Amino acid sequence: MEVRRRVRVPRKRRRKRFTRGMTKTLFLFLVFVLLLFVALVFRIYTLNRDHGDGYKKQVFAQQSYTNKVLKYRRGAIKDRNDTILAQSVRRFQLVLEPRTILAKEDVRKETVAQLAQYFQADATVIEQILTDNPKSMYQYVEGCRELTKEQVFGFQELMKENKDVQGVWFEETFKRIYPLDTIASNIVGFTASENEGTYGIEGTYNEQLNGRTGREYGYFDANMNFQRTVKKASNGNSVVLTIDANVQRVIEKLIKQYNKDVGTKNIAVMVMNPNNGEILAMASQNSYDLNNPRDLSSMYTQEEIEGMDETTATQNLMAMWSNFCIAFAYEPGSTFKPFTVAAALDEGQAKDSDYFECPGMMNIAGTDIRCSVRSGHGNISLQKGVMESCNCVMMQISSKLGRDQFSKYNHIFGFGQKTGIDLPGEATGQIHAREDLNPVELATSSFGQTQSVTMIQMAAGFSSLVNGGDYYQPHLVKEVQNENGAVVESVTPVVVKKTVSENTSRLLRKYLLATVEEGTAGPAKVKGYSIGGKTGTAQKRPVEEKNYLLSFIGCVPAEDPQAVIYVIIDEPNVEEQAHSTYATEFSSKIMKKILPFLGIYPETN
């Protein structure tokens, strides 16, 4: 048997053979990749040569050329006679396309030169925009954001004549303006950026006033034709108010004049339709320019403004923007007495034929409480008690009512709670809880002390006293209209509750008429009109400072009221404040001027 011997190859020789094999394999692989790359380049070349234009068109067809937001017009705010209080006017903002402008040097030079000359813009600013954004197709120019239609049309004509002016277009926008400036400022409110309503109707009805933005898309189709798709913007609705701008203007002018002649800590006036809850006017000295709502100069001197730190300035702005008629609570004084009398009549705790003894002071649970006449009124009727504003009569009938019934009518008349008026920032005031109406609190509350109310609460409650007992929810919006003027929402007067009977209301109207004709409210008379009303002289705390809030609340005509007026003069700048005459005289001056605007004319008899 032949035995084969295995020849052993040295390790060094084996490594050389392996290396030569790997080198050959790698070389062949690189040759293959190179050939593949050459083939791929050739294929791309042939595709580009034969089909390049088609592919370019397909790419362009998938690229958006323009994509811009189309802005809506915010709805207007108007008075009951369609007088514009707030509106959005069309403006245009200049937009540059740096990529287009920089494509040719001649275009760049001419476009920048014409823009600078036509709009008095800084050429270096425009050049910087182009330099910083060379690929952009959408750049604003500061100082050219509120252009008029005439400015835009003029430049567009220039572009037609000068073909080297390119890459410029104008985006439509809207600016909120207030044509009457300060009139009804605390009612209307204003807008911040991006159509965000702030305060007043602008805030409460923000969603209805705002519309919906649209969008415009532009692109090249497969045939390199420019296609545009537009989704139109939807404009906002307009809000029509119940106020009369002429009446509002007259009242605000008289308030300014009074502050100029006399001066007060605050003065406010409300006029309301008692038969449907519509607010016809609402004004105070806290007014401001709606077109420049952060300007404090209407309330403070320049020296005072410069001395304010940031926190103080902010607080003063918020106070200026607030609506005194709904946001400020105070002790009403004797204008509250008709409510006490109405409650007693309705509950049978007082009758028209009743008489009361007024000694000038009563001791209630160990506390001496004086009448408005220190010597006393003597034996006095219920009507005389209202006419002469007798505290002792009120204390006696409130004692008969007791804490339960008095507290019940506090809530029936809406005190201590919001009325639900369609404005932000309404206060509730503060009344005694039933269990806290102890004899002294019951006595003082009966003539309008130790409880606080708001003007809107008083006006709404008083309207129910004189209209037959129907408590209407007070409101400032009459209807909402679309951009074509069609009514999309009408505010129907809402009778929230019945406060008193028709008979009680009739007696109150008689008492209030007598109060103006023969009682303490004589200065509120207006020639040719029957006026009913009640005065108020509320001493403020601390009592040693002898400051007073004076007021008058009344209705006209007294027998069939069509308007309720409420006037407050807080701390008039006079030596002796404790005279309601200041409020009644001011009310008379107002009514003389505004009643014809309201369609209420002198009575022939």
Side-chain angles (χ1 to χ4, degrees):
M1 180 176 177
E2 182 180 357
V3 178
R4 293 185 179 178
R5 294 183 64 185
R6 187 174 180 182
V7 179
R8 189 175 181 87
V9 180
R11 183 179 296 175
K12 189 174 181 180
R13 190 181 300 173
R14 289 202 309 270
R15 190 180 294 119
K16 287 182 179 180
R17 289 179 181 177
F18 176 79
T19 301
R20 284 198 298 271
M22 286 297 296
T23 301
K24 184 177 180 181
T25 302
L26 182 59
F27 174 77
L28 293 174
F29 177 77
L30 288 175
V31 171
F32 174 79
V33 169
L34 180 61
L35 292 174
L36 186 62
F37 179 77
V38 171
L40 181 61
V41 170
F42 181 76
R43 179 59 177 163
I44 291 172
Y45 168 76
T46 57
L47 286 173
N48 187 55
R49 183 193 60 193
D50 299 334
H51 308 289
D53 289 341
Y55 289 143
K56 286 180 181 178
K57 291 178 181 180
Q58 290 179 31
V59 170
F60 275 120
Q62 296 174 30
Q63 290 182 338
S64 175
Y65 183 72
T66 61
N67 181 0
K68 64 178 180 178
V69 173
L70 302 179
K71 298 182 179 180
Y72 59 82
R73 185 199 295 268
R74 185 175 170 91
I77 299 176
K78 302 181 283 188
D79 85 333
R80 64 188 305 114
N81 302 312
D82 280 344
T83 300
I84 299 295
L85 302 174
Q87 66 178 338
S88 293
V89 294
R90 182 179 281 104
R91 291 287 184 266
F92 297 87
Q93 45 196 9
L94 176 66
V95 180
L96 301 181
E97 296 178 353
R99 188 170 67 187
T100 302
I101 297 171
L102 295 173
K104 296 180 181 179
E105 184 61 21
D106 290 346
V107 169
R108 183 192 66 77
K109 288 183 178 180
E110 189 65 14
T111 301
V112 171
Q114 293 298 335
L115 285 172
Q117 180 181 350
Y118 189 89
F119 295 108
Q120 277 111 43
D122 189 337
T124 58
V125 172
I126 298 174
E127 290 280 13
Q128 193 64 48
I129 293 173
L130 300 177
T131 302
D132 293 343
N133 307 277
K135 300 298 183 182
S136 175
M137 294 290 283
Y138 192 95
Q139 290 295 319
Y140 290 121
V141 178
E142 289 301 326
C144 297
R145 284 177 175 260
E146 293 183 8
L147 304 176
T148 64
K149 179 175 63 176
E150 291 72 23
Q151 288 176 299
V152 170
F153 286 178
F155 195 81
Q156 287 175 336
E157 287 299 316
L158 184 152
M159 291 178 70
K160 290 179 183 178
E161 296 170 4
N162 190 339
K163 299 303 180 182
D164 283 336
V165 179
Q166 299 177 22
V168 179
W169 54 282
F170 300 92
E171 183 177 74
E172 184 182 75
T173 186
F174 295 95
K175 180 183 179 182
R176 198 69 167 169
I177 65 168
Y178 302 88
L180 301 186
D181 297 323
T182 62
I183 302 302
S185 58
N186 298 118
I187 294 173
V188 174
F190 55 94
T191 57
S193 59
E194 298 301 321
N195 284 327
E196 187 63 33
T198 304
Y199 289 87
I201 297 298
E202 292 276 33
T204 303
Y205 279 78
N206 188 60
E207 289 188 11
Q208 290 92 329
L209 289 164
N210 275 345
R212 293 191 301 275
T213 56
R215 192 169 291 275
E216 179 178 324
Y217 303 91
Y219 59 94
F220 288 102
D221 63 17
N223 295 316
M224 293 299 289
N225 295 318
F226 187 70
Q227 301 293 333
R228 178 178 281 109
T229 299
V230 178
K231 181 183 178 183
K232 292 185 178 180
S234 176
N235 292 330
N237 292 326
S238 293
V239 175
V240 180
L241 304 184
T242 60
I243 70 166
D244 186 309
N246 289 318
V247 173
Q248 185 78 21
R249 182 188 286 107
V250 167
I251 292 173
E252 291 187 17
K253 183 178 179 181
L254 290 173
I255 286 175
K256 288 180 181 178
Q257 189 62 47
Y258 190 91
N259 267 329
K260 182 179 179 181
D261 296 341
V262 180
T264 67
K265 181 179 180 180
N266 214 322
I267 181 170
V269 179
M270 276 190 62
V271 182
M272 182 174 177
N273 186 334
N275 303 307
N276 57 17
E278 291 183 353
I279 305 299
L280 304 173
M282 178 186 280
S284 73
Q285 68 185 41
N286 290 358
S287 66
Y288 58 94
D289 185 355
L290 288 165
N291 292 300
N292 190 11
R294 296 189 176 277
D295 179 10
L296 284 163
S297 62
S298 64
M299 300 289 294
Y300 303 92
T301 65
Q302 188 59 37
E303 184 179 355
E304 289 173 328
I305 295 171
E306 291 173 357
M308 297 176 189
D309 57 30
E310 186 175 349
T311 300
T312 302
T314 300
Q315 290 173 345
N316 289 335
L317 279 172
M318 294 179 71
M320 182 178 72
W321 296 334
S322 67
N323 189 319
F324 180 93
C325 299
I326 68 168
F328 185 77
Y330 55 90
E331 293 184 3
S334 295
T335 49
F336 192 86
K337 290 174 180 176
F339 296 97
T340 301
V341 172
L345 287 170
D346 237 40
E347 288 295 327
Q349 302 297 345
K351 301 189 298 295
D352 183 41
S353 58
D354 284 350
Y355 275 76
F356 303 84
E357 189 64 33
C358 172
M361 183 181 70
M362 293 180 66
N363 185 278
I364 307 294
T367 300
D368 290 337
I369 303 176
R370 295 185 179 276
C371 185
S372 54
V373 175
R374 298 297 179 90
S375 60
H377 291 97
N379 196 31
I380 188 172
S381 69
L382 182 60
Q383 176 171 306
K384 278 278 189 178
V386 177
M387 289 171 56
E388 302 298 331
S389 200
C390 179
N391 290 350
C392 291
V393 169
M394 300 302 134
M395 287 189 280
Q396 290 173 54
I397 62 177
S398 67
S399 178
K400 291 183 178 181
L401 277 168
R403 62 164 58 169
D404 289 345
Q405 290 180 340
F406 190 88
S407 180
K408 180 180 79 171
Y409 276 87
N410 255 344
H411 288 90
I412 286 175
F413 292 131
F415 301 121
Q417 54 198 292
K418 293 183 179 182
T419 65
I421 188 171
D422 40 3
L423 280 178
E426 183 180 6
T428 60
Q430 190 170 5
I431 61 173
H432 294 296
R434 186 199 66 80
E435 58 272 15
D436 293 333
L437 277 171
N438 298 315
V440 172
E441 287 74 24
L442 184 59
T444 55
S445 297
S446 70
F447 53 83
Q449 298 284 3
T450 70
Q451 295 195 131
S452 63
V453 301
T454 64
M455 288 189 75
I456 189 63
Q457 288 173 348
M458 288 288 287
F462 185 83
S463 292
S464 75
L465 290 186
V466 299
N467 72 8
D470 292 329
Y471 185 102
Y472 285 94
Q473 182 172 10
H475 59 279
L476 276 155
V477 173
K478 193 175 185 68
E479 61 188 27
V480 178
Q481 302 173 346
N482 65 19
E483 60 180 307
N484 299 316
V487 177
V488 295
E489 180 184 338
S490 183
V491 179
T492 304
V494 176
V495 178
V496 178
K497 54 194 168 185
K498 193 79 173 176
T499 58
V500 295
S501 67
E502 174 61 51
N503 186 57
T504 293
S505 179
R506 178 182 58 79
L507 287 173
L508 259 296
R509 293 195 297 270
K510 185 182 76 164
Y511 297 167
L512 294 167
L513 175 61
T515 302
V516 174
E517 292 296 323
E518 308 170 47
T520 58
K525 291 179 183 177
V526 178
K527 186 177 180 179
Y529 294 92
S530 64
I531 309 291
K534 183 71 188 75
T535 57
T537 307
Q539 188 170 16
K540 300 176 68 175
R541 288 164 175 70
V543 295
E544 58 270 15
E545 294 185 3
K546 297 183 178 180
N547 289 321
Y548 290 83
L549 184 143
L550 313 173
S551 59
F552 173 79
I553 192 165
C555 56
V556 58
E559 299 84 356
D560 182 23
Q562 301 301 308
V564 162
I565 184 170
Y566 189 22
V567 173
I568 279 181
I569 298 178
D570 185 13
E571 297 185 28
N573 188 22
V574 295
E575 188 173 342
E576 290 289 336
Q577 294 182 13
H579 297 287
S580 60
T581 303
Y582 297 115
T584 49
E585 288 178 342
F586 190 60
S587 176
S588 176
K589 184 180 291 187
I590 290 172
M591 285 191 284
K592 285 176 185 177
K593 291 183 176 293
I594 70 169
L595 291 178
F597 283 116
L598 298 176
I600 303 174
Y601 301 103
E603 300 165 48
T604 55
N605 60 348

